[in-house]
Amino acid sequence: QVQLVESGGGLVQPGGSLRLSCAAASGSIFVINGMGWYRQAPGKQRELVATITSRGMTNYADSVKGRFTISRDNAKKTVYLQMNSLKPEDTAIYYCNVEIKRSGSSWRQYWGQGTQVTVSS
């Protein structure tokens, strides 16, 4: 019932920037708690990139701290990831993750479809 739609991925040169978006939608009333971004590079395990609580508290992986910024717009039910000073090591498929409670259901996590980010010279 809940769908997360991601956008903003693409191909950029090292040092470039991208802004990822992930919007949540449902046919019923729902409440959002935490939101976050994960990524998975070829041959690697999926790893946490950044998280943001319902009150705006953020947490970042050491590898992206100081370069990436996570934010959210509760009115638009959207989470963003501003990615600056991109490095080839940032190349991966990026997935958003949202904790949601739908009407008549319990809390659970939902995943976006993934968006490819490629950093190459």
Side-chain angles (χ1 to χ4, degrees):
Q1 198 82 357
V2 175
Q3 295 185 3
L4 304 182
V5 181
E6 300 183 31
S7 63
L11 172 64
V12 297
Q13 295 184 357
S17 298
L18 285 174
R19 183 171 181 258
L20 306 183
S21 299
C22 174
S26 177
S28 61
I29 298 174
F30 65 98
V31 180
I32 298 177
N33 194 17
M35 309 177 88
W37 289 94
Y38 294 72
R39 68 186 182 186
Q40 187 166 19
K44 306 287 284 186
Q45 195 100 21
R46 183 169 58 185
E47 65 175 350
L48 185 146
V49 176
T51 60
I52 183 168
T53 70
S54 61
R55 297 181 178 180
M57 297 182 64
T58 59
N59 182 60
Y60 298 91
D62 289 339
S63 58
V64 307
K65 194 172 300 182
R67 300 187 298 119
F68 292 9
T69 302
I70 187 172
S71 61
R72 63 191 288 168
D73 186 329
N74 291 329
K76 296 181 178 180
K77 296 181 174 59
T78 301
V79 61
Y80 305 93
L81 185 67
Q82 179 65 48
M83 310 165 68
N84 299 327
S85 302
L86 283 163
K87 305 175 180 179
E89 309 93 88
D90 296 318
T91 296
I93 300 176
Y94 285 70
Y95 300 89
C96 63
N97 175 272
V98 183
E99 187 178 8
I100 291 177
K101 184 183 185 301
R102 296 165 52 206
S103 61
S105 185
S106 59
W107 288 100
R108 64 167 290 181
Q109 293 185 336
Y110 294 85
W111 292 90
Q113 81 281 4
T115 184
Q116 177 69 49
V117 172
T118 302
V119 185
S120 177
S121 59

